[in-house]
Amino acid sequence: MNLAFTRTTCLLTSLHVLSLLPTVSRASSHYKGLTTPKAVELKLLLLEKGPGAVTLLSCARSCGQNRKCTMFLHNRFKLCLLYGVDYPRSPFPQDKPPSAEFNAYYLRSECPYIFIRQFNKCIYLPYKLFSNLSTITSTCSNHGGKLLQFHTTKELTVIRNYIKKKYPVSGREVKYYIGAFALDASRTFVWQSSSRSLPVSDAMWGSGQPDGAVGSGDNCVVMDQQLDYLLNDVSCQLQKDMGTICQLDMSQ
């Protein structure tokens, strides 16, 4: 099997493409038909124009080969447009919204947990609390993931809203560890997997945060229920009411 196509061979589900289903049924990634108004609501960025005069299946494959692509458009003239999240362009301008002449298809993942299609992100939120960071890290690892990472306020807002709606916790002050930490000497926060910086002046942080001084030991980052699930810098040694959000790798 050509590994380059493990994400690219796609299942297309729409009244327009039922005849294609047998051809692409072995897909590891899938696309589902989406109405153009719904596609516009996602406010994704136009990544690129795909190759001209291509079939619907070829357009899907082009989207699959682009790691940032979460939606593609195709029309009767065989024009292919790829849409997705393109860092660091932010905050998601409605860049050349799709017109009604196109059929839209968004990535439908086989993620067994929570799939956030705007960001091609699969997250696992254990409905339990933990007593130490080591257990939290191993919980994510055992599910094939890592502590949550994100790069925009939009991503954080979507995840915060999901937690508040689906997992209300009464009588607790839960802190959800995520995959960022401070370089103690400079109080620069970075993501564990990529070493990409997490700006301390960003709107992702709660009021007055981060507030740990050099040497304070507040070198871990949480989504803090007390701060409406905005970010807070805390000790990595907390032992009460600790939650976590795991992010599963969707690049395979």
Side-chain angles (χ1 to χ4, degrees):
M1 178 183 292
N2 184 348
L3 295 181
F5 284 88
T6 56
R7 183 178 178 263
T8 64
T9 306
C10 305
L11 174 62
L12 300 166
T13 55
S14 169
L15 293 178
H16 303 285
V17 294
L18 290 178
S19 62
L20 288 177
L21 294 180
T23 308
V24 293
S25 60
R26 293 174 295 174
S28 61
S29 298
H30 309 291
Y31 288 89
K32 183 178 180 180
L34 188 69
T35 65
T36 302
K38 288 292 183 182
V40 173
E41 287 177 13
L42 291 179
K43 296 185 179 180
L44 297 173
L45 295 170
L46 177 62
L47 300 174
E48 62 179 278
K49 289 186 177 180
V54 298
T55 64
L56 185 61
L57 180 57
S58 294
C59 188
R61 285 177 174 155
S62 295
C63 184
Q65 290 174 323
N66 187 321
R67 296 287 185 184
K68 298 176 181 179
C69 184
T70 59
M71 182 177 75
F72 72 90
L73 279 72
H74 189 264
N75 67 6
R76 61 191 179 91
F77 301 109
K78 296 186 176 181
L79 180 62
C80 176
L81 302 176
L82 308 184
Y83 281 76
V85 178
D86 190 9
Y87 303 125
R89 288 200 288 172
S90 174
F92 302 87
Q94 196 166 320
D95 182 11
K96 298 184 179 178
S99 64
E101 70 180 61
F102 286 91
N103 294 315
Y105 303 88
Y106 72 85
L107 183 64
R108 185 182 64 188
S109 170
E110 291 182 345
C111 169
Y113 303 109
I114 305 162
F115 183 60
I116 303 176
R117 71 189 186 202
Q118 294 101 313
F119 312 111
N120 192 28
K121 192 181 293 291
C122 180
I123 61 175
Y124 169 61
L125 184 62
Y127 193 58
K128 62 181 292 187
L129 300 178
F130 300 87
S131 59
N132 60 75
L133 185 56
S134 176
T135 303
I136 285 176
T137 302
S138 62
T139 296
C140 288
S141 178
N142 291 340
H143 284 81
K146 59 190 177 185
L147 293 176
L148 176 69
Q149 299 186 28
F150 45 82
H151 301 289
T152 68
T153 304
K154 178 68 173 179
E155 284 180 90
L156 175 58
T157 298
V158 170
I159 296 168
R160 287 170 61 213
N161 288 342
Y162 187 91
I163 295 174
K164 288 188 284 187
K165 180 178 180 180
K166 298 292 185 180
Y167 293 88
V169 181
S170 59
R172 301 287 185 103
E173 296 176 355
V174 181
K175 301 181 189 302
Y176 290 90
Y177 276 101
I178 61 174
F181 67 98
L183 302 175
D184 192 57
S186 63
R187 297 298 293 166
T188 299
F189 289 85
V190 297
W191 294 108
Q192 289 174 327
S193 297
S194 65
S195 296
R196 182 174 175 171
S197 65
L198 175 60
V200 297
S201 60
D202 197 274
M204 298 181 190
W205 293 88
S207 178
Q209 304 299 328
D211 60 356
V214 174
S216 66
D218 289 354
N219 294 331
C220 282
V221 180
V222 298
M223 291 173 59
D224 196 328
Q225 185 183 34
Q226 286 186 294
L227 300 174
D228 197 29
Y229 298 104
L230 291 172
L231 303 188
N232 187 9
D233 59 323
V234 299
S235 168
C236 301
Q237 308 300 323
L238 296 181
Q239 298 182 349
K240 182 181 179 182
D241 293 342
M242 296 161 51
T244 188
I245 305 173
C246 306
Q247 175 179 326
L248 280 65
D249 185 7
M250 297 303 296
S251 63
Q252 301 302 318

Coordinates of all heavy atoms in Angstrom, one line a residue, residues 143-227:
H143 N -4.4 6.0 25.2 CA -5.5 6.2 24.2 C -4.9 6.6 22.8 O -5.6 7.1 21.9 CB -6.5 7.2 24.7 CG -7.5 6.7 25.7 ND1 -7.2 6.6 27.0 CD2 -8.7 6.1 25.6 CE1 -8.2 6.0 27.7 NE2 -9.1 5.8 26.8
G144 N -3.6 6.5 22.7 CA -2.9 6.9 21.5 C -2.8 8.4 21.2 O -2.7 8.8 20.1
G145 N -2.7 9.2 22.3 CA -2.7 10.6 22.1 C -1.7 11.3 23.1 O -0.8 10.7 23.6
K146 N -1.9 12.6 23.2 CA -1.0 13.4 24.0 C -1.9 14.5 24.6 O -3.1 14.6 24.3 CB 0.1 14.1 23.1 CG -0.5 14.9 22.0 CD 0.6 15.3 21.0 CE -0.1 16.1 19.8 NZ 0.9 16.5 18.8
L147 N -1.3 15.3 25.5 CA -2.1 16.4 26.1 C -2.5 17.4 25.0 O -1.7 17.6 24.1 CB -1.3 17.1 27.2 CG -1.0 16.3 28.5 CD1 -0.1 17.0 29.4 CD2 -2.3 15.9 29.1
L148 N -3.6 18.0 25.1 CA -4.2 18.9 24.1 C -3.3 20.0 23.8 O -2.7 20.6 24.7 CB -5.5 19.4 24.6 CG -6.2 20.5 23.8 CD1 -6.8 19.8 22.5 CD2 -7.4 21.1 24.5
Q149 N -3.2 20.4 22.5 CA -2.5 21.5 22.0 C -3.4 22.3 21.0 O -4.2 21.7 20.3 CB -1.2 21.2 21.3 CG -0.2 20.4 22.2 CD 1.1 20.2 21.5 OE1 1.5 21.0 20.7 NE2 1.8 19.1 21.9
F150 N -3.3 23.6 21.0 CA -4.0 24.4 20.1 C -3.3 25.7 19.8 O -2.3 26.0 20.6 CB -5.5 24.7 20.6 CG -5.5 25.1 22.0 CD1 -5.3 26.4 22.4 CD2 -5.8 24.2 23.0 CE1 -5.3 26.8 23.7 CE2 -5.9 24.6 24.3 CZ -5.6 25.9 24.7
H151 N -3.7 26.5 18.8 CA -2.9 27.6 18.4 C -3.7 28.9 18.3 O -3.1 30.0 18.0 CB -2.1 27.3 17.2 CG -1.2 26.2 17.3 ND1 0.0 26.2 18.0 CD2 -1.3 24.9 16.7 CE1 0.6 25.0 17.9 NE2 -0.1 24.2 17.2
T152 N -5.0 28.8 18.4 CA -5.8 30.0 18.2 C -6.9 30.1 19.3 O -7.3 29.1 19.9 CB -6.5 30.1 16.8 OG1 -7.5 29.0 16.8 CG2 -5.5 29.9 15.7
T153 N -7.3 31.3 19.6 CA -8.4 31.5 20.5 C -9.7 30.8 20.0 O -10.5 30.4 20.8 CB -8.7 33.1 20.7 OG1 -7.5 33.7 21.1 CG2 -9.8 33.3 21.7
K154 N -9.9 30.8 18.7 CA -11.0 30.1 18.1 C -11.1 28.6 18.5 O -12.1 28.1 19.0 CB -11.0 30.2 16.6 CG -12.2 29.5 15.9 CD -13.5 30.2 16.2 CE -14.6 29.6 15.3 NZ -15.9 30.2 15.6
E155 N -10.0 28.0 18.4 CA -9.9 26.6 18.9 C -10.3 26.4 20.3 O -11.0 25.5 20.7 CB -8.5 26.0 18.6 CG -8.2 25.7 17.2 CD -6.8 25.1 17.0 OE1 -6.7 23.9 17.1 OE2 -5.9 25.9 16.8
L156 N -9.6 27.2 21.2 CA -9.9 27.2 22.6 C -11.4 27.4 22.9 O -12.0 26.7 23.7 CB -9.0 28.2 23.3 CG -9.3 28.3 24.8 CD1 -9.1 27.0 25.6 CD2 -8.4 29.4 25.4
T157 N -12.0 28.4 22.2 CA -13.4 28.7 22.4 C -14.3 27.5 22.1 O -15.2 27.2 22.9 CB -13.8 29.9 21.6 OG1 -13.0 31.1 22.0 CG2 -15.3 30.2 21.8
V158 N -14.0 26.8 21.0 CA -14.8 25.7 20.7 C -14.7 24.6 21.7 O -15.7 24.0 22.2 CB -14.4 25.1 19.3 CG1 -15.1 23.8 19.0 CG2 -14.7 26.1 18.2
I159 N -13.5 24.3 22.2 CA -13.3 23.3 23.2 C -13.9 23.7 24.6 O -14.5 22.9 25.3 CB -11.8 23.0 23.4 CG1 -11.3 22.4 22.0 CG2 -11.5 22.0 24.5 CD1 -9.8 22.4 21.9
R160 N -13.7 25.0 24.9 CA -14.3 25.5 26.2 C -15.9 25.3 26.2 O -16.5 24.8 27.1 CB -14.0 26.9 26.4 CG -12.6 27.3 26.8 CD -12.4 28.8 26.7 NE -13.2 29.5 27.6 CZ -13.7 30.7 27.3 NH1 -13.4 31.3 26.2 NH2 -14.5 31.3 28.2
N161 N -16.5 25.6 25.1 CA -17.9 25.5 25.0 C -18.4 24.1 25.0 O -19.4 23.8 25.6 CB -18.4 26.2 23.7 CG -18.3 27.7 23.7 OD1 -18.2 28.3 24.7 ND2 -18.3 28.3 22.5
Y162 N -17.6 23.2 24.5 CA -18.0 21.8 24.5 C -17.9 21.3 26.0 O -18.8 20.6 26.4 CB -17.0 21.0 23.6 CG -17.5 19.5 23.6 CD1 -18.4 19.1 22.5 CD2 -17.1 18.6 24.5 CE1 -18.8 17.8 22.5 CE2 -17.6 17.3 24.4 CZ -18.4 16.9 23.4 OH -18.9 15.6 23.4
I163 N -16.9 21.6 26.7 CA -16.7 21.2 28.1 C -17.9 21.7 28.9 O -18.5 21.0 29.7 CB -15.4 21.6 28.7 CG1 -14.2 21.0 27.9 CG2 -15.3 21.3 30.2 CD1 -12.9 21.5 28.4
K164 N -18.2 23.0 28.8 CA -19.3 23.6 29.6 C -20.6 23.0 29.3 O -21.5 22.8 30.2 CB -19.3 25.1 29.4 CG -18.1 25.8 30.0 CD -18.2 27.3 29.9 CE -18.0 27.9 28.5 NZ -17.9 29.3 28.5
K165 N -20.8 22.6 28.0 CA -22.1 22.0 27.7 C -22.3 20.5 28.0 O -23.3 20.1 28.5 CB -22.3 22.2 26.2 CG -23.7 21.7 25.6 CD -23.8 21.9 24.1 CE -25.1 21.4 23.6 NZ -25.3 21.6 22.2
K166 N -21.2 19.8 27.8 CA -21.3 18.3 27.9 C -20.8 17.8 29.2 O -21.2 16.7 29.7 CB -20.5 17.7 26.8 CG -21.0 18.0 25.4 CD -22.4 17.3 25.1 CE -22.8 17.6 23.7 NZ -24.1 16.9 23.4
Y167 N -19.9 18.5 29.9 CA -19.3 17.9 31.1 C -19.4 18.9 32.2 O -18.3 19.3 32.8 CB -17.8 17.5 30.8 CG -17.7 16.4 29.9 CD1 -17.7 16.6 28.5 CD2 -17.6 15.1 30.3 CE1 -17.5 15.5 27.6 CE2 -17.5 14.0 29.5 CZ -17.5 14.2 28.1 OH -17.3 13.2 27.2
P168 N -20.5 19.4 32.6 CA -20.6 20.3 33.8 C -20.2 19.6 35.0 O -20.5 18.4 35.3 CB -22.1 20.7 33.8 CG -22.8 19.5 33.2 CD -21.9 19.0 32.1
V169 N -19.4 20.2 35.9 CA -18.9 19.7 37.1 C -19.3 20.6 38.2 O -18.9 21.8 38.3 CB -17.4 19.5 37.1 CG1 -16.9 18.9 38.5 CG2 -16.9 18.6 36.0
S170 N -20.2 20.2 39.1 CA -20.7 21.0 40.1 C -19.9 20.8 41.4 O -19.6 19.6 41.7 CB -22.2 20.8 40.4 OG -22.4 19.4 40.7
G171 N -19.7 21.8 42.2 CA -19.0 21.7 43.5 C -17.6 21.4 43.4 O -16.9 21.1 44.4
R172 N -17.0 21.5 42.2 CA -15.5 21.2 42.0 C -14.9 22.4 41.4 O -15.6 23.2 40.7 CB -15.3 20.0 41.2 CG -15.9 18.7 41.7 CD -15.1 18.2 42.9 NE -15.6 16.9 43.4 CZ -15.0 15.7 43.1 NH1 -13.8 15.7 42.5 NH2 -15.5 14.6 43.6
E173 N -13.6 22.6 41.6 CA -12.8 23.6 40.9 C -11.8 22.9 40.0 O -10.6 22.8 40.3 CB -12.2 24.5 41.9 CG -13.2 25.3 42.7 CD -12.5 26.2 43.8 OE1 -11.3 26.1 43.9 OE2 -13.2 26.9 44.5
V174 N -12.3 22.4 38.9 CA -11.5 21.5 38.1 C -10.5 22.3 37.2 O -10.8 23.3 36.7 CB -12.4 20.6 37.2 CG1 -11.5 19.6 36.4 CG2 -13.4 19.8 38.0
K175 N -9.3 21.7 37.1 CA -8.3 22.3 36.2 C -7.9 21.2 35.2 O -7.5 20.1 35.6 CB -7.1 22.8 37.0 CG -7.4 23.8 38.1 CD -6.2 24.3 38.9 CE -6.5 25.2 40.0 NZ -7.3 26.4 39.7
Y176 N -8.0 21.5 34.0 CA -7.7 20.5 32.9 C -6.3 20.8 32.4 O -6.0 21.8 31.7 CB -8.7 20.6 31.8 CG -10.1 20.1 32.1 CD1 -11.0 21.0 32.6 CD2 -10.4 18.8 31.9 CE1 -12.3 20.5 33.0 CE2 -11.7 18.3 32.2 CZ -12.6 19.2 32.8 OH -13.9 18.7 33.1
Y177 N -5.4 19.9 32.6 CA -4.0 20.1 32.1 C -4.0 20.0 30.6 O -4.7 19.1 30.0 CB -3.1 19.0 32.7 CG -2.5 19.3 34.1 CD1 -3.1 18.8 35.2 CD2 -1.4 20.2 34.2 CE1 -2.5 19.1 36.5 CE2 -0.9 20.5 35.4 CZ -1.5 19.9 36.6 OH -0.9 20.2 37.8
I178 N -3.2 20.8 30.0 CA -3.0 20.8 28.5 C -1.5 20.6 28.3 O -0.7 20.7 29.2 CB -3.6 22.0 27.8 CG1 -2.9 23.3 28.3 CG2 -5.1 22.0 28.0 CD1 -3.4 24.5 27.5
G179 N -1.1 20.5 27.0 CA 0.3 20.2 26.7 C 1.2 21.3 26.5 O 1.9 21.4 25.5
A180 N 1.2 22.3 27.4 CA 2.1 23.4 27.4 C 2.8 23.5 28.7 O 2.3 23.1 29.8 CB 1.4 24.7 27.1
F181 N 4.0 24.1 28.7 CA 4.8 24.3 30.0 C 5.6 25.5 29.8 O 5.9 26.0 28.7 CB 5.6 23.0 30.3 CG 6.7 22.8 29.3 CD1 8.0 23.2 29.6 CD2 6.5 22.2 28.1 CE1 9.1 23.0 28.7 CE2 7.5 21.9 27.2 CZ 8.8 22.3 27.5
A182 N 6.1 26.0 31.0 CA 7.0 27.2 31.0 C 8.5 26.8 31.0 O 8.8 25.8 31.7 CB 6.7 28.0 32.2
L183 N 9.3 27.5 30.3 CA 10.7 27.4 30.4 C 11.0 28.3 31.6 O 11.0 29.6 31.5 CB 11.4 27.9 29.1 CG 11.0 27.1 27.9 CD1 11.7 27.8 26.7 CD2 11.4 25.7 28.0
D184 N 11.3 27.7 32.7 CA 11.3 28.5 34.0 C 12.2 29.7 34.0 O 11.9 30.7 34.6 CB 11.8 27.6 35.1 CG 11.5 28.2 36.5 OD1 10.3 28.5 36.8 OD2 12.5 28.3 37.3
A185 N 13.4 29.6 33.3 CA 14.3 30.8 33.4 C 13.8 32.0 32.7 O 14.1 33.1 33.1 CB 15.6 30.4 32.7
S186 N 12.9 31.8 31.7 CA 12.4 33.0 31.0 C 10.9 33.2 31.1 O 10.3 34.2 30.6 CB 12.7 32.9 29.5 OG 12.1 31.7 29.0
R187 N 10.2 32.2 31.7 CA 8.7 32.2 31.8 C 8.1 32.3 30.4 O 7.0 32.9 30.2 CB 8.2 33.4 32.6 CG 8.6 33.3 34.1 CD 8.1 32.1 34.8 NE 6.6 32.1 34.9 CZ 5.9 31.1 35.2 NH1 6.5 29.9 35.4 NH2 4.6 31.2 35.4
T188 N 8.8 31.7 29.4 CA 8.2 31.5 28.1 C 7.5 30.2 28.0 O 8.0 29.2 28.4 CB 9.4 31.5 27.0 OG1 10.1 32.8 27.1 CG2 8.8 31.3 25.7
F189 N 6.2 30.2 27.6 CA 5.4 29.0 27.5 C 5.5 28.4 26.1 O 5.4 29.2 25.1 CB 4.0 29.3 27.9 CG 3.8 29.6 29.4 CD1 4.0 30.9 29.8 CD2 3.5 28.6 30.2 CE1 3.9 31.2 31.2 CE2 3.3 28.9 31.6 CZ 3.5 30.2 32.1
V190 N 5.7 27.1 26.0 CA 5.8 26.5 24.7 C 5.0 25.2 24.8 O 4.6 24.7 25.9 CB 7.3 26.1 24.4 CG1 8.1 27.3 24.3 CG2 7.9 25.1 25.5
W191 N 4.6 24.7 23.6 CA 3.9 23.4 23.5 C 4.9 22.3 23.5 O 5.9 22.4 22.9 CB 3.1 23.4 22.2 CG 2.0 24.4 22.2 CD1 1.9 25.5 21.4 CD2 0.8 24.3 22.9 NE1 0.7 26.2 21.7 CE2 0.0 25.5 22.6 CE3 0.2 23.4 23.9 CZ2 -1.3 25.7 23.2 CZ3 -1.0 23.6 24.4 CH2 -1.7 24.8 24.1
Q192 N 4.6 21.2 24.2 CA 5.5 20.1 24.5 C 6.0 19.5 23.2 O 7.1 19.2 23.0 CB 4.9 19.1 25.4 CG 4.7 19.6 26.8 CD 4.0 18.6 27.7 OE1 3.1 17.9 27.2 NE2 4.3 18.5 29.0
S193 N 5.0 19.2 22.3 CA 5.4 18.4 21.1 C 6.1 19.2 20.0 O 7.0 18.7 19.3 CB 4.1 17.8 20.5 OG 3.5 16.9 21.4
S194 N 5.8 20.5 19.9 CA 6.4 21.3 18.8 C 7.3 22.4 19.2 O 8.0 22.9 18.4 CB 5.2 22.0 18.0 OG 4.5 22.9 18.8
S195 N 7.4 22.7 20.5 CA 8.2 23.8 21.1 C 7.7 25.1 20.5 O 8.5 26.1 20.6 CB 9.7 23.6 20.8 OG 10.1 22.4 21.4
R196 N 6.6 25.2 19.9 CA 6.0 26.4 19.4 C 5.5 27.2 20.6 O 5.0 26.7 21.6 CB 4.8 26.1 18.5 CG 4.2 27.4 17.9 CD 3.2 27.0 16.9 NE 2.5 28.2 16.4 CZ 1.6 28.1 15.3 NH1 1.4 27.0 14.7 NH2 1.0 29.2 14.9
S197 N 5.7 28.6 20.6 CA 5.4 29.4 21.8 C 3.9 29.6 21.9 O 3.2 29.6 21.0 CB 6.1 30.7 21.6 OG 5.6 31.5 20.5
L198 N 3.5 29.8 23.2 CA 2.2 30.1 23.6 C 2.2 31.6 24.1 O 2.7 31.8 25.3 CB 1.7 29.2 24.6 CG 0.3 29.4 25.2 CD1 -0.8 29.4 24.1 CD2 0.0 28.4 26.3
P199 N 1.8 32.6 23.4 CA 2.0 34.0 23.8 C 1.3 34.2 25.2 O 0.2 33.8 25.4 CB 1.3 34.8 22.7 CG 1.3 33.9 21.5 CD 1.1 32.5 22.1
V200 N 2.0 34.9 26.1 CA 1.5 35.2 27.4 C 0.5 36.4 27.4 O -0.3 36.6 28.3 CB 2.6 35.4 28.4 CG1 3.5 34.2 28.6 CG2 3.4 36.6 28.0
S201 N 0.5 37.2 26.3 CA -0.4 38.3 26.3 C -1.7 38.0 25.5 O -2.5 38.9 25.3 CB 0.3 39.5 25.6 OG 0.7 39.1 24.2
D202 N -1.9 36.7 25.1 CA -3.0 36.3 24.3 C -4.3 36.3 25.1 O -4.3 36.1 26.3 CB -2.7 35.0 23.7 CG -3.6 34.7 22.5 OD1 -4.7 34.2 22.7 OD2 -3.2 35.0 21.4
A203 N -5.4 36.4 24.4 CA -6.7 36.4 25.0 C -7.1 35.0 25.5 O -8.2 34.8 26.1 CB -7.8 36.9 24.0
M204 N -6.3 34.0 25.3 CA -6.5 32.7 25.8 C -6.4 32.6 27.3 O -7.0 31.7 27.9 CB -5.5 31.7 25.1 CG -5.6 31.5 23.6 SD -4.4 30.3 23.1 CE -4.4 30.5 21.3
W205 N -5.6 33.5 27.9 CA -5.4 33.4 29.3 C -6.5 34.1 30.1 O -7.1 35.1 29.7 CB -4.0 34.1 29.6 CG -2.8 33.4 29.0 CD1 -2.3 33.5 27.8 CD2 -2.1 32.4 29.7 NE1 -1.2 32.7 27.6 CE2 -1.1 32.0 28.7 CE3 -2.1 31.8 30.9 CZ2 -0.1 31.0 29.0 CZ3 -1.2 30.8 31.2 CH2 -0.2 30.4 30.3
G206 N -6.7 33.6 31.3 CA -7.6 34.2 32.3 C -7.0 35.6 32.7 O -5.8 35.9 32.6
S207 N -7.9 36.4 33.3 CA -7.5 37.7 33.8 C -6.3 37.6 34.8 O -6.3 36.9 35.7 CB -8.7 38.4 34.5 OG -8.3 39.7 35.0
G208 N -5.2 38.4 34.5 CA -4.1 38.4 35.3 C -3.1 37.3 35.2 O -2.1 37.2 35.9
Q209 N -3.4 36.4 34.2 CA -2.6 35.2 34.0 C -1.7 35.3 32.8 O -2.1 36.1 31.8 CB -3.5 33.9 33.9 CG -4.4 33.7 35.1 CD -3.7 33.5 36.4 OE1 -2.5 33.0 36.4 NE2 -4.3 34.0 37.5
P210 N -0.6 34.7 32.7 CA 0.0 33.9 33.8 C 0.6 34.8 34.9 O 1.2 35.8 34.5 CB 1.1 33.1 33.1 CG 1.4 33.9 31.9 CD 0.2 34.7 31.5
D211 N 0.6 34.4 36.1 CA 1.0 35.2 37.2 C 2.2 34.6 38.0 O 2.6 35.2 39.0 CB -0.1 35.6 38.1 CG -0.7 34.4 38.8 OD1 -0.3 33.2 38.5 OD2 -1.7 34.6 39.6
G212 N 2.7 33.4 37.6 CA 3.8 32.8 38.4 C 5.1 33.5 38.1 O 5.4 33.9 36.9
A213 N 5.9 33.7 39.1 CA 7.2 34.3 39.0 C 8.2 33.3 38.7 O 8.0 32.1 38.8 CB 7.6 35.1 40.3
V214 N 9.4 33.7 38.2 CA 10.5 32.8 37.9 C 10.8 32.1 39.2 O 10.9 32.7 40.3 CB 11.7 33.6 37.4 CG1 12.9 32.6 37.3 CG2 11.4 34.2 36.1
G215 N 10.9 30.8 39.2 CA 11.2 30.0 40.4 C 10.0 29.6 41.2 O 10.1 28.9 42.2
S216 N 8.8 30.0 40.8 CA 7.6 29.8 41.6 C 7.1 28.3 41.4 O 6.4 27.8 42.3 CB 6.4 30.7 41.1 OG 6.1 30.4 39.7
G217 N 7.6 27.7 40.4 CA 7.1 26.3 40.1 C 5.8 26.2 39.4 O 5.4 25.1 39.1
D218 N 5.2 27.3 39.0 CA 4.0 27.3 38.2 C 4.3 27.1 36.7 O 4.2 28.0 35.9 CB 3.2 28.6 38.5 CG 2.6 28.6 39.8 OD1 2.7 27.7 40.6 OD2 2.0 29.7 40.2
N219 N 4.8 25.9 36.4 CA 5.3 25.7 35.1 C 4.4 24.9 34.2 O 4.8 24.6 33.0 CB 6.7 25.0 35.2 CG 7.7 25.9 35.8 OD1 7.7 27.1 35.7 ND2 8.7 25.3 36.5
C220 N 3.3 24.5 34.7 CA 2.3 23.8 33.8 C 1.1 24.7 33.5 O 0.9 25.7 34.1 CB 1.8 22.5 34.5 SG 3.0 21.2 34.5
V221 N 0.4 24.3 32.5 CA -0.8 25.2 32.0 C -2.0 24.3 32.1 O -2.1 23.2 31.7 CB -0.5 25.7 30.6 CG1 -1.7 26.6 30.1 CG2 0.8 26.5 30.5
V222 N -3.1 25.0 32.6 CA -4.4 24.3 32.6 C -5.5 25.2 32.0 O -5.3 26.4 31.9 CB -4.8 24.0 34.1 CG1 -3.8 23.0 34.7 CG2 -4.9 25.3 34.9
M223 N -6.6 24.6 31.6 CA -7.8 25.3 31.4 C -8.6 25.2 32.7 O -8.9 24.2 33.2 CB -8.6 24.6 30.3 CG -8.0 24.7 28.9 SD -8.8 23.7 27.6 CE -10.5 24.4 27.7
D224 N -8.8 26.4 33.3 CA -9.2 26.5 34.7 C -10.7 26.8 34.8 O -11.2 27.8 34.3 CB -8.4 27.6 35.4 CG -8.5 27.6 36.9 OD1 -9.5 27.1 37.4 OD2 -7.5 28.0 37.5
Q225 N -11.4 25.9 35.4 CA -12.9 26.1 35.6 C -13.2 27.5 36.3 O -14.2 28.1 35.9 CB -13.5 25.0 36.3 CG -15.0 25.0 36.4 CD -15.6 23.9 37.2 OE1 -15.0 23.5 38.2 NE2 -16.8 23.5 36.9
Q226 N -12.4 27.8 37.2 CA -12.6 29.1 37.9 C -12.5 30.3 37.1 O -13.0 31.4 37.4 CB -11.6 29.2 39.1 CG -12.0 28.3 40.3 CD -11.0 28.6 41.5 OE1 -9.8 28.4 41.4 NE2 -11.6 29.1 42.5
L227 N -11.7 30.2 36.0 CA -11.5 31.2 35.0 C -12.3 31.0 33.7 O -11.9 31.5 32.7 CB -10.0 31.4 34.7 CG -9.1 31.7 35.9 CD1 -7.6 31.6 35.4 CD2 -9.4 33.0 36.5

